[in-house]
Amino acid sequence: MSSVLEVARPTPEIAVLTLNRPDKLNALSYELVEALHAELDALARDNACRAVVLTGAGRGFCSGLDLSAPNPEETGGGTEFPRSGMRWQERIADLTAKIHRLRQPVIAAVQGVAYGGGLGIAAACDIRVAAPTARFCTQFIKLGLGGCDIGVSYTLPRIVGAGVAFDMILTARTVAADEALRLGLVSRVSDTPVDEALAIAETLCNYGKFGVESTKQVLWANIEASSLEAALHLENRSQILASTSGEMRELAAKILRKG
């Protein structure tokens, strides 16, 4: 495994991915982006893993694109700019799509900065836990680019609402942890965000395997549902499928024994 991404398995069911460029506030280099792609691909095939925690080493979660190498030669495949730039842009952006598609719930444990691409990656996760030091900023528009990048024009309005998302993306203002909690950008603030994220992951691992996977899929799908009826149809089918796994009877019996 590349040294820019540390992978730990505190239990066989939980994977902890740590962006490991602390001297650069875990900025997204070519090597780090490729390491993340490789690990997300591996997790997609890993049926033992039930939940993923994503965090950063040192003082920051991720400061966004590494501006010392904004368009690495390796990404172009021998093409000239702007085609080479488009390939690199798409490669980074596809990280958010892979997190979104992953069967396992992904919990971001954010300390320090989550700027630009770092915010994009955090926003693609299913749950976000912040340290009191956490700070969130879209940043792209400050760099002379458009404000919409790496999925934030999709994810942020669905997390915090359109009005707040327009404010954050257009102004690129910094949102601290306490405000992020009020806005719903994060669901918890903790002095030990990785421990909090691991506790969430452990809770999820106590639930039915199909139930957790289908819940993530139904939640994301029904954000796009055309009507309540369409959402109910998907929920109903997922519930009946979940009831066929045998896990429902086992977990229900456990609850009854406790009662």
Side-chain angles (χ1 to χ4, degrees), residues 54-235:
L54 179 61
T55 191
R59 298 180 295 110
F61 176 75
C62 176
S63 58
L65 179 65
D66 187 345
L67 295 177
S68 66
N71 188 32
E73 290 184 8
E74 301 95 320
T75 64
T79 63
E80 74 288 347
F81 197 84
R83 287 198 300 159
S84 60
M86 182 62 77
R87 282 160 173 72
W88 178 223
Q89 174 75 22
E90 290 171 345
R91 189 65 172 161
I92 299 173
D94 198 40
L95 287 173
T96 59
K98 281 189 178 179
I99 292 169
H100 183 86
R101 289 194 303 262
L102 208 62
R103 290 184 178 87
Q104 301 94 333
V106 183
I107 306 148
V110 180
Q111 76 289 349
V113 299
Y115 284 3
L119 173 58
I121 289 170
C125 294
D126 304 296
I127 299 173
R128 283 157 298 282
V129 178
T133 60
R135 303 190 305 282
F136 302 87
C137 177
T138 57
Q139 187 148 285
F140 310 113
I141 208 165
K142 292 181 178 179
L143 303 175
L145 301 171
C148 301
D149 196 28
I150 314 186
V152 296
S153 61
Y154 179 92
T155 55
L156 271 182
R158 286 161 173 78
I159 296 168
V160 299
V164 173
F166 270 65
D167 180 7
M168 288 182 63
I169 292 170
L170 278 168
T171 68
R173 68 183 182 87
T174 299
V175 173
D178 56 348
E179 184 180 6
L181 182 63
R182 290 198 304 272
L183 295 175
L185 180 55
V186 302
S187 56
R188 309 185 191 190
V189 174
S190 170
D191 290 330
T192 54
V194 173
D195 290 343
E196 187 76 14
L198 284 169
I200 295 170
E202 288 165 4
T203 296
L204 298 179
C205 290
N206 288 324
Y207 300 151
K209 295 174 182 177
F210 180 83
V212 170
E213 287 188 13
S214 67
T215 296
K216 171 173 176 172
Q217 291 170 352
V218 170
L219 278 168
W220 279 113
N222 278 348
I223 285 175
E224 302 300 317
S226 59
S227 66
L228 174 60
E229 289 299 321
L232 290 173
H233 284 311
L234 183 56
E235 287 183 352

